[in-house]
Amino acid sequence: MQLYNTLSAKERAELIEKAGKDRLTLSFYKYHHIKNPQIFRNHLFVTWDEMDVLGRIYIAREGINGQLSVPADNFRAFKEHLDSITFLKDVRLNIAIEHDDKSFLKLKVKVRNKIVADGLNDDTFDVTDKGVHVDAEKFNELIEDPDTILVDMRNHYESEIGHFKNAITPDVDTFRDSLPIIEEDLKEHKEDKKLVMYCTGGIRCEKASAYFKHKGFKDVYQLEGGIIEYTRQVKGKDLENKFIGKNFVFDERRAERISEDIIAHCHQCGKPCDTHVNCANEACHLLFIQCEECAEKMNRCCSEACMEVVALPYEEQKALRKGKYKSNNIFKKGRSEVLKFKG
């Protein structure tokens, strides 16, 4: 029984092109107490691998978080399988606004301590005791209320290219960084303000809503389905769109454009731009914003030092990378001294 991916991303991309079939990019999550995450993980991998499902799925004792690419022809079978799992029956699926058949090129199902790393070690905190979910129409009403505080629960590199008007956008690298900062900044308003939160698909602000309720905030709300579902409802119900710019996504597409506004700038020259790229030097792989002119000038690299590495024969590049430790502590997203317009 095969329990792990055996194809490279390149091999998978070639198979997708050869098949010539449409694929759907989607995401879902569910907080639920899972007794044996490893057994559940193996069951999902075997079943979804047979359906040619690709993506990144995290499973923990607190629930499941999935970002997937599913062949359109297999979507019904995939949905029926989800519905056969008691706690996932009728779970909301966030279907991408813009599709890319190569949004994911491997099936990775991993067991983690938590589906959203929060840095918390508090047995009295119940992640299922969440805030009030609101749809796009109610959300638009709430954020116009002067007694509302609107908070973006995403990271700095996400909100940099797009966010809701008048939202607080914490300058943080991770979700776990944001929780104590927001609690400290808003501690004077636990009783007198409505705390409204949003994120990409809902998973982070759902945990945050439960956390802030646990910390004594009385009136807590979250945007149901996040920015993805908000955009769908705005279009479907002809509502006013209050999101400006792009919605950052964690797959090969990098982002979905929600409005025509460009609110960010190239990290190398400063001109208006909201296109995220990864440095072409695989030993760096820094995520940053780069315009087309700088991409051509810098050979899709973040620095001259990386340009020198990329110019080397590939085997020499591999030799330079050998034995070097990679971690998020070293390769910060969107933060580097080499980026003139982003520190």
Side-chain angles (χ1 to χ4, degrees):
M1 181 169 60
Q2 181 181 323
L3 293 175
Y4 299 93
N5 177 75
T6 58
L7 294 177
S8 69
K10 182 179 179 181
E11 290 170 329
R12 179 64 70 177
E14 290 173 352
L15 287 177
I16 291 174
E17 287 185 3
K18 186 176 181 180
K21 293 185 177 181
D22 291 337
R23 301 181 68 92
L24 302 175
T25 301
L26 57 91
S27 62
F28 73 92
Y29 72 89
K30 186 71 174 181
Y31 285 103
H32 180 79
H33 299 301
I34 299 175
K35 291 183 179 179
N36 195 319
Q38 187 63 48
I39 292 177
F40 186 52
R41 177 262 170 215
N42 292 345
H43 167 70
L44 290 186
F45 186 93
V46 170
T47 305
W48 291 353
D49 187 50
E50 291 179 353
M51 297 181 190
D52 196 23
V53 172
L54 303 173
R56 180 174 55 245
I57 301 94
Y58 296 140
I59 298 169
R61 292 189 180 277
E62 69 175 9
I64 180 172
N65 177 21
Q67 299 163 13
L68 311 164
S69 169
V70 182
D73 291 347
N74 293 346
F75 177 76
R76 177 171 292 182
F78 171 76
K79 181 66 168 64
E80 288 175 352
H81 176 251
L82 281 182
D83 287 342
S84 72
I85 301 169
T86 304
F87 77 93
L88 292 179
K89 181 175 175 56
D90 296 325
V91 67
R92 186 193 60 252
L93 299 179
N94 284 329
I95 309 296
I97 304 301
E98 300 172 352
H99 291 286
D100 183 337
D101 291 341
K102 300 177 185 176
S103 57
F104 290 100
L105 296 173
K106 293 183 179 182
L107 176 58
K108 297 181 180 180
V109 187
K110 298 183 177 182
V111 174
R112 293 284 181 87
N113 289 330
K114 297 184 178 183
I115 56 175
V116 176
D118 53 29
L120 302 176
N121 188 19
D122 183 350
D123 292 337
T124 67
F125 168 51
D126 181 4
V127 71
T128 64
D129 184 19
K130 58 196 176 186
V132 178
H133 286 221
V134 296
D135 62 13
E137 187 172 4
K138 180 63 176 178
F139 180 83
N140 279 357
E141 292 177 11
L142 275 172
I143 64 177
E144 292 299 326
D145 185 337
D147 288 328
T148 289
I149 298 176
L150 178 63
V151 181
D152 190 324
M153 294 306 304
R154 302 172 303 153
N155 304 323
H156 73 93
Y157 54 89
E158 299 172 77
S159 59
E160 182 178 15
I161 62 171
H163 54 76
F164 281 101
K165 298 172 183 176
N166 301 320
I168 295 172
T169 55
D171 186 24
V172 295
D173 293 316
T174 66
F175 175 74
R176 70 173 67 193
D177 294 336
S178 67
L179 295 177
I181 292 173
I182 293 168
E183 183 189 359
E184 176 63 24
D185 289 349
L186 303 182
K187 63 183 180 182
E188 302 299 323
H189 300 295
K190 291 184 177 183
E191 304 272 353
D192 65 338
K193 295 288 185 181
K194 299 181 182 73
L195 178 58
V196 180
M197 293 168 288
Y198 69 90
C199 59
T200 307
I203 187 170
R204 285 176 283 184
C205 49
E206 180 151 329
K207 176 171 278 193
S209 74
Y211 174 78
F212 290 124
K213 283 183 65 179
H214 177 66
K215 288 296 183 176
F217 286 83
K218 301 301 182 186
D219 216 356
V220 182
Y221 302 83
Q222 73 169 87
L223 177 59
E224 171 77 18
I227 301 163
I228 297 172
E229 179 61 19
Y230 173 87
T231 304
R232 187 172 306 283
Q233 290 184 20
V234 163
K235 291 180 178 179
K237 299 180 180 179
D238 196 26
L239 303 174
E240 180 184 358
N241 173 40
K242 295 182 180 292
F243 188 93
I244 53 175
K246 281 182 174 179
N247 178 30
F248 185 97
V249 294
F250 293 88
D251 58 55
E252 296 299 323
R253 296 170 299 152
R254 295 281 184 265
E256 297 177 321
R257 181 161 295 286
I258 309 301
S259 80
E260 296 305 311
D261 305 275
I262 299 178
I263 65 172
H265 51 255
C266 174
H267 288 165
Q268 292 176 316
C269 72
K271 72 174 289 185
C273 178
D274 56 10
T275 301
H276 274 109
V277 299
N278 285 106
C279 178
N281 177 11
E282 292 186 25
C284 173
H285 212 59
L286 177 73
L287 182 75
F288 67 108
I289 296 175
Q290 186 180 54
C291 68
E292 292 182 4
E293 290 84 350
C294 286
E296 184 174 352
K297 176 183 175 182
M298 300 295 294
N299 198 17
R300 303 196 178 280
C301 292
C302 69
S303 65
E304 292 183 0
C306 284
M307 286 178 66
E308 292 176 3
V309 173
V310 169
L312 296 172
Y314 185 68
E315 290 303 316
E316 288 188 38
Q317 293 183 46
K318 285 180 65 178
L320 287 173
R321 295 197 299 272
K322 189 175 181 180
K324 290 193 175 180
Y325 177 69
K326 291 185 178 183
S327 82
N328 287 332
N329 291 327
I330 298 173
F331 299 100
K332 291 289 189 183
K333 294 181 173 68
R335 296 194 198 273
S336 173
E337 293 179 357
V338 302
L339 301 176
K340 183 178 180 181
F341 290 89
K342 181 70 176 183

